[in-house]
Amino acid sequence: MSYQPDLQCVRVSRVYDWISELTNIKLKEKVPIKKGICIQDNICFKFNVPSDGTRSTLWSGVELKGVLSTFVVVIDKKCEGEIELFINGDYKTTLTGGQSISATVCDLQLIEAQCKGDTAINYCKGNLDIQIVYRPEIAEKECEHINCFLSDHEGNPLNVLEEGAISCTEHSNPSKRESIEVIMNGHIVKLQEVEILIQGFITLEFLNEKGVRCGWYVCPFWEVETFYMCAPNGTDISCNVLKMKCKAEYISHEQNCKCCMGISIRIAACLNIYAFSDVTIELLGKECEPRFVFKAPKPISASYQK
């Protein structure tokens, strides 16, 4: 059988650069507490403070623990003296007639006022408005453990290798990548700046001490990372995520976080990034066709004579 190769043209991908990199994404989420665990209350009343310099208690909640409160104090316009305001025993500010103050305080237990200098009027008047939110330590105790996993926007678990589980694409403009010069192996090499956008969804699953789910929350994540690669004009970027790990834990409450729990989330993703372009190459070869099916002959029976 004679074999005479012909000139063949084949279109393939030429890889200019290939890197594997571990990317860390950090998030802080405020997860709402289910109704019935987070308790809110509003208190609003008028007060009269003696003008003889006596410190008076406007509100006391010393028996309440773990309370987040926002209060507003407004002094009557007719008050000519100065009112000193004390929060949890510490001096906060001084107000005069028509002035007001608002603040959010963790563990608010005591609000006091002291009026000085108004001899014509026996009392200084004002209004106090307090919004109280009981912080969810109980919820944290009920749901001690947090399981964090990759999911879709509805909380369904996804395998990181599934197509579309995590979006990993070039964020920079391919035609306007900035170039830098670096020394590699004793040679000056020109590399391009490539921005990669990683985005997807994770689900936080709250479990009690028996491992039973007592709540869940879906949150999106996204991060833009910058890499330097050999990616000249005309090249494309391919990115995929090989592995991913997610960890979440409770953090202390923030003052502006009311009916919610503070969650710290850390995501580690292993990225595979290629810079490539499609090229046509010439090869010497011959087109192949399937050969005929070879059937084994029937065995020949042996005969002999005595």
Side-chain angles (χ1 to χ4, degrees):
M1 180 185 295
S2 63
Y3 178 79
Q4 294 181 347
D6 300 323
L7 189 62
Q8 306 286 343
C9 292
V10 182
R11 192 164 183 82
V12 297
S13 294
R14 177 186 176 185
V15 177
Y16 286 76
D17 205 351
W18 175 16
I19 61 173
S20 293
E21 183 70 18
L22 181 65
T23 296
N24 293 300
I25 304 173
K26 296 182 180 180
L27 305 172
K28 286 185 179 180
E29 289 291 326
K30 300 173 184 177
V31 179
I33 304 302
K34 62 184 180 180
K35 188 176 181 181
I37 295 180
C38 181
I39 304 172
Q40 298 188 57
D41 197 5
N42 290 314
I43 303 171
C44 184
F45 58 88
K46 296 181 179 180
F47 62 82
N48 293 319
V49 178
S51 58
D52 58 2
T54 302
R55 186 185 296 190
S56 303
T57 299
L58 303 183
W59 179 83
S60 175
V62 292
E63 295 182 358
L64 298 177
K65 302 296 182 182
V67 174
L68 181 71
S69 304
T70 299
F71 69 88
V72 180
V73 176
V74 181
I75 305 302
D76 191 280
K77 294 181 179 179
K78 296 180 180 180
C79 181
E80 297 179 359
E82 294 182 344
I83 293 185
E84 295 180 346
L85 197 65
F86 299 85
I87 304 299
N88 291 343
D90 298 326
Y91 171 79
K92 179 69 175 179
T93 188
T94 298
L95 303 174
T96 58
Q99 291 185 330
S100 63
I101 183 176
S102 63
T104 300
V105 180
C106 289
D107 294 324
L108 179 63
Q109 297 183 6
L110 186 64
I111 300 178
E112 299 172 293
Q114 185 175 340
C115 182
K116 296 180 179 180
D118 193 346
T119 57
I121 304 176
N122 293 329
Y123 293 91
C124 290
K125 300 180 180 180
N127 293 328
L128 174 61
D129 188 0
I130 309 175
Q131 183 185 60
I132 300 174
V133 179
Y134 294 86
R135 282 162 43 183
E137 279 84 358
I138 296 177
E140 293 179 12
K141 292 179 181 178
E142 291 181 351
C143 306
E144 294 181 352
H145 307 287
I146 307 176
N147 183 28
C148 178
F149 57 86
L150 180 67
S151 70
D152 59 16
H153 67 284
E154 294 181 342
N156 300 309
L158 295 177
N159 188 316
V160 68
L161 298 178
E162 291 182 23
E163 184 177 356
I166 298 180
S167 175
C168 185
T169 57
E170 182 176 6
H171 186 64
S172 51
N173 189 335
S175 61
K176 296 182 179 180
R177 298 177 188 140
E178 296 185 6
S179 298
I180 63 169
E181 290 185 347
V182 297
I183 298 177
M184 298 178 65
N185 299 325
H187 301 282
I188 298 177
V189 179
K190 183 177 289 188
L191 300 179
Q192 283 69 46
E193 185 178 275
V194 178
E195 293 181 346
I196 298 295
L197 172 63
I198 310 107
Q199 57 185 344
F201 294 90
I202 58 170
T203 292
L204 303 176
E205 186 179 43
F206 302 98
L207 307 173
N208 62 19
E209 58 182 6
K210 296 181 180 180
V212 178
R213 176 191 277 195
C214 52
W216 58 282
Y217 181 76
V218 179
C219 61
F221 68 87
W222 68 275
E223 185 78 10
V224 175
E225 291 281 355
T226 301
F227 302 97
Y228 292 94
M229 306 177 62
C230 178
N233 287 338
T235 56
D236 297 316
I237 299 296
S238 174
C239 176
N240 55 74
V241 181
L242 298 179
K243 294 181 180 179
M244 176 190 155
K245 182 181 286 186
C246 178
K247 186 176 181 181
E249 57 187 4
Y250 293 107
I251 57 176
S252 59
H253 292 272
E254 300 180 21
Q255 289 193 359
N256 58 352
C257 182
K258 296 183 179 179
C259 284
C260 63
M261 293 183 292
I263 308 293
S264 173
I265 305 168
R266 288 169 288 173
I267 301 172
C270 183
L271 308 181
N272 243 0
I273 308 172
Y274 302 85
F276 71 96
S277 66
D278 291 332
V279 296
T280 301
I281 61 174
E282 295 180 347
L283 295 175
L284 285 176
K286 191 173 180 66
E287 293 184 6
C288 296
E289 295 181 358
R291 64 172 177 82
F292 67 92
V293 177
F294 178 79
K295 294 183 179 179
K298 294 183 179 179
I300 300 175
S301 59
S303 60
Y304 64 93
Q305 294 180 351
K306 291 183 179 181

